[in-house]
Amino acid sequence: AAAGATETRAASEEMKRLMSEWKAAGPAGREDDDRLWRSFNAARDRLSQRSRFEWEQRKAQRVKSLQDALFRKKQFASELQSRTYDAERRLGEMRMRPSVSMRNPRWSEISSKRLQAESNQQQRVNEMKRKLGEVQRQITELDAKFRQSCSNRRRRLAEMT
């Protein structure tokens, strides 16, 4: 597709050059001018159609890429949401553990470690929620780009028919 686009670009430049030469050459007589113009115009139309076709192919590939990226982001968000839920559940379980009896000679050490573990788990949950919000924002942006690409494509296809 890239090679075709490069060829089309080169052909377009050549067509512009030929058009300039055409204008500079001046009249060749009514019959010859008409015949040459029809031939030139037919070549220009074919180039325009090929260019439009290649543009549509590139656009379809971009839409497909956006669709794939959107699908992958949604999968990741779903997985992250599930992991966040699990981390919140573990945090809740940690907080519901019975307190260590003060009769236990190591109660201070155990309580301190439990509080630190809860704090670490809370930080993990907060980070996961932050990341989930970021991914959801990215999904919204990708979805808007995808919808815009699709509506532009439908509009252009309708204009072509």
Side-chain angles (χ1 to χ4, degrees):
T6 303
E7 291 170 10
T8 302
R9 224 173 286 122
S12 292
E13 293 301 317
E14 180 68 9
M15 188 64 71
K16 288 177 188 174
R17 188 186 66 71
L18 289 173
M19 180 62 107
S20 295
E21 285 182 22
W22 173 277
K23 290 177 182 178
R30 179 89 175 146
E31 262 184 52
D32 287 336
D33 273 350
D34 287 348
R35 182 179 50 76
L36 290 170
W37 179 251
R38 282 191 302 274
S39 176
F40 180 78
N41 212 29
R44 194 171 65 165
D45 287 346
R46 285 191 304 274
L47 176 64
S48 178
Q49 287 174 351
R50 188 171 87 187
S51 179
R52 220 174 301 129
F53 174 75
E54 288 173 359
W55 183 89
E56 284 296 326
Q57 284 183 317
R58 288 190 307 274
K59 184 69 173 176
Q61 183 58 41
R62 283 191 297 269
V63 167
K64 174 88 172 88
S65 293
L66 280 171
Q67 189 176 24
D68 291 346
L70 188 58
F71 178 75
R72 286 190 308 274
K73 282 285 183 186
K74 285 181 177 182
Q75 278 185 319
F76 179 67
S78 177
E79 181 183 317
L80 186 57
Q81 199 165 21
S82 178
R83 290 192 328 226
T84 302
Y85 174 78
D86 289 343
E88 287 177 319
R89 183 185 46 76
R90 282 193 303 278
L91 179 60
E93 289 171 355
M94 293 170 109
R95 289 180 173 159
M96 296 303 289
R97 289 184 295 202
S99 299
V100 178
S101 170
M102 290 180 76
R103 292 185 206 161
N104 186 327
R106 296 182 45 226
W107 78 269
S108 177
E109 176 188 347
I110 294 169
S111 294
S112 175
K113 285 184 179 183
R114 281 186 174 183
L115 285 174
Q116 185 60 47
E118 285 178 25
S119 175
N120 291 344
Q121 186 68 12
Q122 182 65 61
Q123 287 176 353
R124 280 191 287 279
V125 166
N126 292 345
E127 180 59 24
M128 292 170 99
K129 285 181 176 182
R130 185 198 63 75
K131 182 66 175 174
L132 183 59
E134 181 181 316
V135 170
Q136 288 170 335
R137 180 190 52 77
Q138 291 169 353
I139 287 171
T140 301
E141 289 173 2
L142 278 172
D143 191 49
K145 285 180 184 178
F146 176 71
R147 289 175 190 275
Q148 181 68 34
S149 293
C150 288
S151 67
N152 286 347
R153 187 165 189 245
R154 279 192 296 271
R155 186 173 46 250
R156 280 192 195 88
L157 288 174
E159 290 170 356
M160 291 172 66
T161 57

